[in-house]
Amino acid sequence: SESVWTVQTLSGVPVKPQPELQQGFSISRQFYTRSGQKVDLSQVRRNNKLIAVITGEALTQENHQALVVDLLPAGLEIENAHLAHNQSIDEYRWLPKLSKTLHTEFRDDRFIAALDLNKSQRKFTIAYLVRAVTPGEYRLPAAFLEDMYKPWYLARGKMGIIKIQ
């Protein structure tokens, strides 16, 4: 006989790819081979290592405490660059100068980086290493960027498909 309040939360990945979005920020991601060649995501082979390079920019004149989140598709796992066959950073000299981050996390399902975007640093470039582990065709979620304290500033990159053979 009394009123009951309920809350329902739904989460998931959209069925249709969401369009790119720029609201105060821009962001894009590209995959490269370890030697610096762009990767055709329809022809990735199992055990291939790829470098994910994420670039972005604050399109406003404000200071931002920004968070970059790159969700991994099924089939890819983040590699620890320091442990992968004793490779040295010299192997990746082709990379542009990488931006200093305040915090970085390498999780099972995503890469996360926090950085300050301000007058002295409006643009950024960050990178991480992944390995193709499970054959199949997978949706590639978009990388996104948002201001942690002003969430109306955000950007979403391009979604796609990755095929691992």
Side-chain angles (χ1 to χ4, degrees), residues 7 43 75 77 116 154:
V7 175
Q43 310 229 346
E77 287 184 1
D116 283 335
L154 61 116

Side-chain angles (χ1 to χ4, degrees), residues 12-14 17-18 29 31 41 54 69-74 76 109-110 128 138-144 156-162:
V13 177
Q18 293 180 310
R29 175 194 53 222
F31 288 96
L41 294 177
I54 301 171
V69 179
D70 192 14
L71 301 172
L72 290 177
L76 292 183
D109 65 342
R110 69 193 67 201
Y128 66 97
Y138 307 101
R139 290 186 187 271
L140 184 61
F144 66 92
R156 180 177 51 241
K158 187 175 181 178
M159 297 178 76
I161 301 286
I162 184 169

Side-chain angles (χ1 to χ4, degrees), residues 30-33 37-50 75-76 131-138 140 160-165:
Q30 181 68 48
F31 288 96
Y32 296 90
T33 64
Q37 303 300 313
K38 282 189 177 180
V39 172
D40 178 352
L41 294 177
S42 68
Q43 310 229 346
V44 176
R45 297 188 109 26
R46 187 170 177 259
N47 285 324
N48 280 28
K49 289 183 187 174
L50 311 175
L76 292 183
R131 180 189 296 269
V133 293
T134 308
E137 182 174 311
Y138 307 101
L140 184 61
I161 301 286
I162 184 169
K163 294 179 184 175
I164 300 172
Q165 304 169 3

